[in-house]
Amino acid sequence: MKAHFIQAHTILKEMIAEIAAKAEQAVQSAVDAVDKNNVAAATRVIANDAKIDEAEIKIEEECLKILALHQPVASDLRQVITILKVNNEIERVGDLAVNIAERVADMALYQERKIEKFDFRDMVNKAKAMLKQALDAMTYHDVAIAMEVIRSDDEVDIIHRNNYGKTRDMILRYPDEAQYYMDCLTVSRCLERIADSATNICEDVIYQENGHIVRHQHSVKSDASQ
Amino acid sequence: MAIKIHAKKLNFYYGAHQALFDNSLEIEANRITAVIGPSGCGKSTHLRIYNRIFELYRDQRVEGELLIDGKNVLAPKVDVLELRRKIGMIFQKPTPFPMSVFDNVAYPLKLHFKLSKTKIADRVEQALRGASLWDEVKDKLKASGLALSGGQQQRLCIARAIAAEPEILLMDEPTSAIDPVATLKIEELMLELKKKFTVMIVTHNMQQAARISDYTAFFFQGYIIEFGETEQIFTNPQKTKTEEYITGRFG
């Protein structure tokens, strides 16, 4: 019984690592495409999302199979449930990468225009790092990293709030370029949501490791910041 | 919550061999408490203290207190026959007496109460209904109890146990010798039984414990390692040994 579960669980862990790598790559390619106004690269991100969707379904089926056939309990149960939930979050990250990529064609139209461009580098680096750390926390069962990620979510939220203000100012100043700045705001919102997904993954990791559901608890952030 | 059974530091010996160590438990009334643990960990031994059935064997003795409704039933002057009426027991293999279905259930009534024939017939029907068996046997009450299927025999034993109007039902692996359909019937029956009785069930079937019990006690090598709400034990056990056992890492 145990050996069968371990085998099924190992396969599941490999599958989730694979989909996570795909989603990370999608985010990277999407933000690179924004940076370089590379419409072809953006189109590839959009096309590749189907693979992430397909992998999500396969993982979900595998989780349901394990739950039905092995009826895991305690930490085994928590690990399968965590993978089931993280799988959802990762698929969502893939969708957010697509949303970013979808803006590229439009933003590229403004390539030659002499307007003030948004600098996403700091936000991209933070969101990407959070996602990577969240996936590491899950793989290495590391609650400390998970707490660290939950804490950093505030930083990305602040950047997004600032971007909102900046968008408003720019549109007022350059009404003709409003569409470009709206695209920028979309990219910013997607990055902020990727950071949110990383945070959600970390909350699931904490549940996986110690059985406590920490979602919607403001104390977690303050605990994490101590 | 009302505590029905309070085991206080029970130590049990088979001759010189100590089988249970400082077992303390508080069992809530009208709840199902599952007792789990690997073979030989003391689950059945622990339960056998409750109705003092161990006293039928030589060289077996217990130390400690077992309070039922606050009274120590291990005290010397306790009426053991009355204690065993109060605490019904169901075993792994169905144990119908070699007599008719009716007489099986009437037996404890005749033993413990002085009742008219009509009253006995009423109470037999009531007990068979209580054990979800009436509809299946009402037309063959005179047939031998041994002629029933395994699952029906086990429910007959439950009917016999509840006919004596006990307060506590001890079930020692009651479904391990019967098929899944009959098991399901008994599990459903247990939900009904707990409305009237305090139920303790020893089971090797972890899913069964998780499905039907309100509380779970995990025994290991004669010690109670962990006791708590079933949901907590099966989602987030606090002791490593419990975790290892229920996830199948040993045992």
Side-chain angles (χ1 to χ4, degrees):
Chain A
M1 171 73 185
K2 193 64 197 174
H4 293 108
F5 174 79
I6 290 170
Q7 201 176 26
H9 187 220
T10 307
I11 293 170
L12 196 55
K13 283 195 284 193
E14 284 165 8
M15 289 170 86
I16 199 86
E18 219 170 289
I19 192 178
K22 282 195 180 97
E24 269 190 289
Q25 185 55 53
V27 171
Q28 181 65 57
S29 304
V31 293
D32 283 351
V34 169
D35 192 38
K36 300 191 175 92
N37 290 305
N38 187 340
V39 179
T43 310
R44 277 198 296 278
V45 171
I46 297 164
N48 283 341
D49 190 49
K51 288 181 192 158
I52 296 179
D53 291 349
E54 199 182 309
E56 185 215 9
I57 302 285
K58 276 192 183 151
I59 290 170
E60 187 166 316
E61 284 173 349
E62 199 58 29
C63 287
L64 295 175
K65 196 172 90 185
I66 289 180
L67 290 173
L69 301 185
H70 301 279
Q71 295 158 24
V73 294
S75 60
D76 292 346
L77 172 69
R78 300 204 304 269
Q79 288 192 51
V80 177
I81 293 296
T82 299
I83 288 176
L84 192 59
K85 297 184 75 185
V86 167
N87 183 41
N88 261 321
E89 290 294 342
I90 291 175
E91 188 274 335
R92 191 145 168 63
V93 167
D95 286 348
L96 290 165
V98 167
N99 293 348
I100 292 173
E102 281 170 348
R103 297 294 100 214
V104 174
D106 195 48
M107 291 171 94
L109 300 175
Y110 296 83
Q111 198 175 352
E112 304 303 329
R113 308 265 270 270
K114 290 207 159 106
I115 55 172
E116 272 184 68
K117 299 272 168 68
F118 265 54
D119 183 359
F120 287 113
R121 274 174 303 184
D122 186 31
M123 194 179 193
V124 164
N125 288 339
K126 285 199 160 81
K128 264 172 36 194
M130 281 174 71
L131 182 62
K132 185 182 181 310
Q133 280 182 304
L135 298 169
D136 283 351
M138 181 178 69
T139 310
Y140 302 115
H141 305 271
D142 195 326
V143 172
I145 297 181
M147 298 287 267
E148 168 92 23
V149 173
I150 292 172
R151 189 188 60 192
S152 15
D153 188 38
D154 278 348
E155 297 170 29
V156 179
D157 286 349
I158 290 168
I159 298 176
H160 178 58
R161 262 203 304 279
N162 291 342
N163 283 343
Y164 180 83
K166 194 173 164 189
T167 304
R168 192 191 48 208
D169 294 348
M170 290 298 178
I171 290 174
L172 287 173
R173 211 183 303 167
Y174 309 108
D176 291 348
E177 325 292 349
Q179 183 57 45
Y180 172 78
Y181 292 113
M182 291 303 289
D183 289 338
C184 288
L185 187 61
T186 301
V187 170
S188 174
R189 197 187 63 223
C190 290
L191 290 169
E192 187 260 335
R193 292 204 174 157
I194 287 169
D196 281 349
S197 280
T199 304
N200 294 345
I201 290 171
C202 289
E203 288 168 347
D204 293 336
V205 169
I206 292 172
Y207 171 72
Q208 171 181 269
E209 293 313 307
N210 61 25
H212 300 311
I213 297 174
V214 296
R215 272 197 326 279
H216 316 306
Q217 289 176 18
H218 299 295
S219 60
V220 178
K221 275 190 180 173
S222 50
D223 283 356
S225 56
Q226 277 166 12
Chain B
M1 67 177 196
I3 299 299
K4 184 73 184 171
I5 306 166
H6 188 177
K8 284 171 128 179
K9 293 203 164 197
L10 293 177
N11 286 289
F12 190 87
Y13 303 84
Y14 289 104
H17 171 72
Q18 184 167 1
L20 298 181
F21 300 85
D22 287 336
N23 285 184
S24 294
L25 266 186
E26 287 187 31
I27 305 293
E28 203 177 329
N30 298 104
R31 293 286 182 274
I32 299 174
T33 300
V35 180
I36 60 168
S39 297
C41 69
K43 307 181 294 282
S44 300
T45 303
H46 181 93
L47 242 58
R48 287 167 70 251
I49 298 174
Y50 288 24
N51 59 1
R52 292 176 57 169
I53 202 169
F54 69 90
E55 290 178 352
L56 301 173
Y57 304 87
R58 275 195 300 172
D59 293 337
Q60 300 191 7
R61 67 189 172 87
V62 67
E63 288 167 0
E65 283 187 349
L66 182 72
L67 307 182
I68 292 180
D69 295 325
K71 284 186 188 150
N72 182 15
V73 299
L74 300 180
K77 282 185 181 166
V78 168
D79 176 351
V80 176
L81 195 63
E82 175 59 13
L83 176 70
R84 289 178 193 155
R85 184 197 64 74
K86 264 193 182 172
I87 304 179
M89 196 157 190
I90 314 293
F91 299 94
Q92 179 178 359
K93 282 200 177 146
T95 52
F97 299 146
M99 50 180 78
S100 72
V101 170
F102 184 92
D103 287 342
N104 259 283
V105 186
Y107 190 86
L109 296 170
K110 290 173 185 165
L111 184 70
H112 295 292
F113 311 100
K114 279 186 180 155
L115 296 168
S116 68
K117 278 192 175 175
T118 343
K119 266 261 182 298
I120 287 181
D122 282 352
R123 296 270 286 268
V124 166
E125 179 178 339
Q126 216 179 323
L128 286 167
R129 283 187 189 280
S132 303
L133 189 59
W134 176 252
D135 289 341
E136 292 162 58
V137 299
K138 63 185 175 198
D139 299 324
K140 42 184 173 184
L141 292 173
K142 287 185 179 162
S144 167
L146 297 167
L148 300 177
S149 73
Q152 288 173 329
Q153 287 188 16
Q154 195 61 305
R155 278 179 287 142
L156 179 63
C157 294
I158 293 173
R160 191 176 63 202
I162 63 179
E165 300 194 334
E167 294 166 18
I168 296 163
L169 278 181
L170 305 178
M171 301 180 138
D172 196 348
E173 295 185 55
T175 60
S176 56
I178 56 181
D179 72 55
V181 177
T183 296
L184 189 66
K185 274 194 180 161
I186 290 190
E187 288 182 2
E188 283 172 358
L189 170 60
M190 288 181 72
L191 289 177
E192 283 303 309
L193 293 175
K194 80 168 181 178
K195 292 178 186 163
K196 283 187 171 175
F197 314 105
T198 301
V199 182
M200 286 192 78
I201 175 172
V202 167
T203 179
H204 274 296
N205 182 337
M206 226 77 77
Q207 273 77 36
Q208 182 173 64
R211 266 197 304 270
I212 62 169
S213 70
D214 302 293
Y215 294 94
T216 297
F218 169 57
F219 278 62
F220 185 66
Q221 294 179 345
Y223 290 91
I224 297 172
I225 304 294
E226 190 166 352
F227 174 65
E229 288 185 12
T230 297
E231 192 188 322
Q232 175 254 311
I233 298 278
F234 282 92
T235 57
N236 193 15
Q238 299 303 301
K239 299 282 163 56
T240 313
K241 268 274 174 280
T242 318
E243 167 93 28
E244 287 174 351
Y245 180 68
I246 64 172
T247 57
R249 288 189 180 85
F250 81 89

